Amino acid sequence: MGGDKTGARATDESGRERSQRSETAIRLDGVTVDFEEVRAVADVDLRVSEGEFVTVIGPSGCGKTTLLRTVGGLQDPTAGTVRVGGSPPERARRAGEFGFVFQQHALLPWKSALENVVFLRKMVGKSPDRERARELLATVGLAGFEDARPAELSGGMAQRVAIARALHLGASVLLMDEPFGELDELTREEMGVEVRRVWRDQRKTVVFVTHSVPEAVFLADRCVVMSDQPGEIAGVFDVELPRPRDESVYGTTAFQEQVARVRTALHEGYELR
Ligand SMILES: Nc1ncnc2c1ncn2[C@@H]1O[C@H](COP(=O)(O)OP(=O)(O)OP(=O)(O)O)[C@@H](O)[C@H]1O
Ligand SMILES: [Mg+2]
């Protein structure tokens, strides 16, 4: 990918941190999005390095989905520029470089779970791999549900199909909008560990929107806190926790401290109104 260089942290497999100069995968400069009377996103500057896991948290209606859609080339900014790999995001979108998981799962109701996972790859001209699709469904806990239609699945199960679909796309950038919103807490934690594992193994760049502070901290290399409408960046936090991470991290003091920092910024963001 093209783009400029930014300093970024990275880790080796043992979890030790090292500094490196890495490519900027996503770059937003002065991005503002207006909908008639509403300013949904206000003057956002953000750099996401290749291979980085960034979470975005903020109050409901603060512009998180709009920001993610703008990164993914589904929404034009009113002002400012978005670059993905140095180009406008439409290029990456057409090339199937984005794996979207939307707030609503957007599965095709007439297709089975397995067919939903493979079809998107076909759409972007990549060859589907049914065995790999089966493996991914098993990874998200849906072995045995390959032939089920979305109407036969619970909301959380359908969301997990959508996650498998995004992973099967083989996209380099995952844009995930509250993908665990309908999952129970334990499944959520398990899926968080799983998504981080896939991210690490496959060197993805991830932007992940969530309402949950613990989730925002657990998943992130960096956590972006947005203020209430209009959505501005209220704070950006480097998350210093062991890598790789598993559920045991939730019980540590370091984790609680990071959660407290993000929670405070979130409250201050509300007060910016
Ligand atoms: N297509 C649209 N047309 C008009 N207004 C919109 C549109 N999309 C979003 N908005 C407005 O922009 C603001 C931000 O919406 P957005 O969906 O980005 O918020 P959000 O942070 O994702 O909220 P939530 O956490 O509830 O999902 C809201 O006031 C919303 O009403
Ligand atoms: Mg949203």
Side-chain angles (χ1 to χ4, degrees):
M1 277 196 177
D4 58 352
K5 304 268 181 181
T6 52
R9 290 172 305 99
T11 54
D12 59 24
E13 278 311 293
S14 67
R16 249 181 313 122
E17 292 206 356
R18 61 189 155 82
S19 290
Q20 68 169 30
R21 307 277 295 172
S22 66
E23 299 285 340
T24 300
I26 300 167
R27 176 176 176 149
L28 277 65
D29 289 291
V31 168
T32 294
V33 183
D34 290 334
F35 296 112
E36 293 169 8
E37 303 299 296
V38 177
R39 174 148 293 183
V41 174
D43 198 22
V44 165
D45 293 324
L46 184 66
R47 310 271 179 280
V48 180
S49 299
E50 257 179 48
E52 194 178 18
F53 202 129
V54 169
T55 56
V56 179
I57 190 163
S60 183
C62 77
K64 303 179 296 297
T65 296
T66 305
L67 186 70
L68 211 61
R69 286 173 52 83
T70 309
V71 170
L74 299 173
Q75 171 70 51
D76 287 330
T78 312
T81 55
V82 181
R83 289 289 176 271
V84 178
S87 304
E90 289 72 21
R91 195 202 57 76
R93 186 163 56 83
R94 284 200 209 95
E97 282 179 28
F98 292 124
F100 286 102
V101 183
F102 296 105
Q103 252 173 311
Q104 280 84 25
H105 54 71
L107 299 179
L108 298 177
W110 60 89
K111 286 189 185 287
S112 70
L114 187 71
E115 288 306 318
N116 263 289
V117 172
V118 297
F119 116 95
L120 202 63
R121 239 184 111 85
K122 286 192 216 160
M123 289 276 293
V124 297
K126 297 179 183 174
S127 57
D129 176 345
R130 287 195 154 59
E131 267 325 292
R132 175 72 184 136
R134 280 177 195 283
E135 277 170 28
L136 285 167
L137 281 172
T139 298
V140 298
L142 291 176
F145 289 92
E146 294 82 1
D147 298 327
R149 310 240 177 265
E152 300 168 296
L153 303 172
S154 73
M157 291 161 90
Q159 260 182 330
R160 283 182 275 156
V161 175
I163 292 166
R165 178 178 63 180
L167 296 176
H168 187 48
L169 192 59
S172 53
V173 180
L174 291 179
L175 301 177
M176 306 181 93
D177 195 356
E178 296 182 51
F180 304 160
E182 294 198 36
L183 305 183
D184 66 85
E185 200 166 330
L186 283 185
T187 309
R188 242 179 133 119
E189 291 182 4
E190 280 169 19
M191 290 296 298
V193 172
E194 196 53 46
V195 164
R196 269 192 70 93
R197 194 184 59 72
V198 171
W199 159 76
R200 201 178 65 241
D201 289 352
Q202 301 183 10
R203 314 298 311 154
K204 310 257 185 221
T205 304
V206 183
V207 183
F208 187 111
V209 169
T210 175
H211 275 137
S212 156
V213 179
E215 189 168 278
V217 170
F218 177 82
L219 290 171
D221 290 325
R222 268 191 313 148
C223 174
V224 173
V225 179
M226 288 180 73
S227 63
D228 207 357
Q229 209 183 71
E232 294 169 311
I233 292 184
V236 179
F237 296 88
D238 285 326
V239 176
E240 307 296 348
L241 290 170
R243 298 176 172 87
R245 281 172 213 167
D246 60 25
E247 285 97 334
S248 65
V249 164
Y250 282 101
T252 64
T253 310
F255 178 74
Q256 296 304 335
E257 284 170 5
Q258 309 262 346
V259 165
R261 282 166 67 210
V262 170
R263 208 180 285 282
T264 302
L266 206 50
H267 282 293
E268 284 167 0
Y270 270 101
E271 285 158 18
L272 289 178
R273 274 194 277 194

